[in-house]
Amino acid sequence: MRLDKFLCDALGATRKEATKILKSGEVTVDEQVQKSGAFKVSEQSVIEWQGRELAVQGPRYIMLYKPEGFVCSHEDGFNHTAFVLLDEIKMDELHFAGRLDVDTTGLVLITDDGKWSHRITSPKHKCDKTYRVWLADPIGSDYQEKLAAGIQLRNEKELTLPAQMTVVNEAENELLLTIHEGKYHQVKRMFAALGNKVEQLHRERVGEIVLDENLEPGEYRYLTQEEIDSVWK
């Protein structure tokens, strides 16, 4: 493959832009500066631009530890978009496979594979999501039973699907909640219907994908093949 064609594919650049990038002298092939677009590269070639190794992009699957104060969208007039936390090319091709509110932290999945994200977000597939929840008031003794039976949310015709609750720290009003759908502000609305208020919300798991404990807020990594494949099970 010609080097300029490789740059077009890897960076989403036009042929004119690729030529300009090459003339800058910032592209190396196997540690040697190359300025000719006609230079032939192979699958074994190590191609770098500005010190960063490039590859023709296939589907991308990313795990982000979203901090508080960031929104899951490409644009927002009031808050930072979580996309500013990523150092990726072709950012406009990425989307969130399930969003989190601006004040909710934790696991967010990002991809450019529409079929994969649909598997996560489609109500038909009932993808499990586990949240760590801190409530304003004490955890009611009947919460577990009521959540398992389904909650009638305001402006909804049907009850929520049965959810599983585990008390983590009763003194801190802390619990884990696993739901199997993704209605708007669902966790907050469920506890509001029980007469309580969610003070803090953190998503730990989506399906079989668990937030990496080695990630700090604002950090991300690519998913392993096992994590990617788990969505199709």
Side-chain angles (χ1 to χ4, degrees), residues 57-74:
Q57 292 289 339
R60 288 174 285 176
Y61 308 92
I62 295 170
M63 168 191 297
L64 169 70
Y65 185 161
K66 189 187 90 65
E68 187 175 353
F70 291 81
V71 294
C72 294
S73 65
H74 274 283

Side-chain angles (χ1 to χ4, degrees), residues 158-218:
E158 299 180 355
L159 298 178
T160 59
L161 294 176
Q164 291 72 51
M165 187 196 88
T166 303
V167 176
V168 176
N169 188 328
E170 194 164 5
E172 298 292 331
N173 305 329
E174 180 184 352
L175 59 91
L176 289 176
L177 183 73
T178 298
I179 62 175
H180 311 280
E181 52 198 331
K183 297 180 185 294
Y184 180 71
H185 292 324
Q186 181 171 338
V187 175
K188 294 176 181 178
R189 292 166 68 200
M190 290 170 78
F191 285 104
L194 292 172
N196 212 322
K197 180 182 178 182
V198 173
E199 289 282 290
Q200 190 177 344
L201 190 59
H202 177 84
R203 186 159 69 192
E204 297 191 343
R205 181 175 66 89
V206 174
E208 296 182 17
I209 303 172
V210 179
L211 180 62
D212 192 327
E213 61 182 12
N214 294 315
L215 291 179
E216 296 293 332

Side-chain angles (χ1 to χ4, degrees), residues 99-175:
R99 302 184 177 193
L100 290 180
D101 299 337
V102 65
D103 58 348
T104 301
T105 63
L107 175 60
V108 171
L109 299 175
I110 301 171
T111 185
D112 50 11
D113 184 340
K115 290 183 179 179
W116 188 83
S117 62
H118 179 74
R119 183 79 180 187
I120 294 170
T121 58
S122 172
K124 180 175 66 174
H125 297 296
K126 300 181 176 63
C127 181
D128 296 353
K129 303 169 188 71
T130 298
Y131 294 83
R132 189 170 294 267
V133 186
W134 289 265
L135 298 175
D137 298 316
I139 301 168
S141 60
D142 58 348
Y143 282 10
Q144 190 173 47
E145 182 180 352
K146 287 184 175 180
L147 289 164
I151 301 293
Q152 181 62 60
L153 300 180
R154 189 174 180 181
N155 298 324
E156 297 283 351
K157 293 182 179 180
E158 299 180 355
L159 298 178
T160 59
L161 294 176
Q164 291 72 51
M165 187 196 88
T166 303
V167 176
V168 176
N169 188 328
E170 194 164 5
E172 298 292 331
N173 305 329
E174 180 184 352
L175 59 91

Side-chain angles (χ1 to χ4, degrees), residues 42-56:
S42 68
E43 292 183 1
Q44 288 72 43
S45 300
V46 177
I47 303 162
E48 296 183 323
W49 173 53
Q50 297 180 339
R52 174 178 176 178
E53 186 172 346
L54 300 179
V56 176

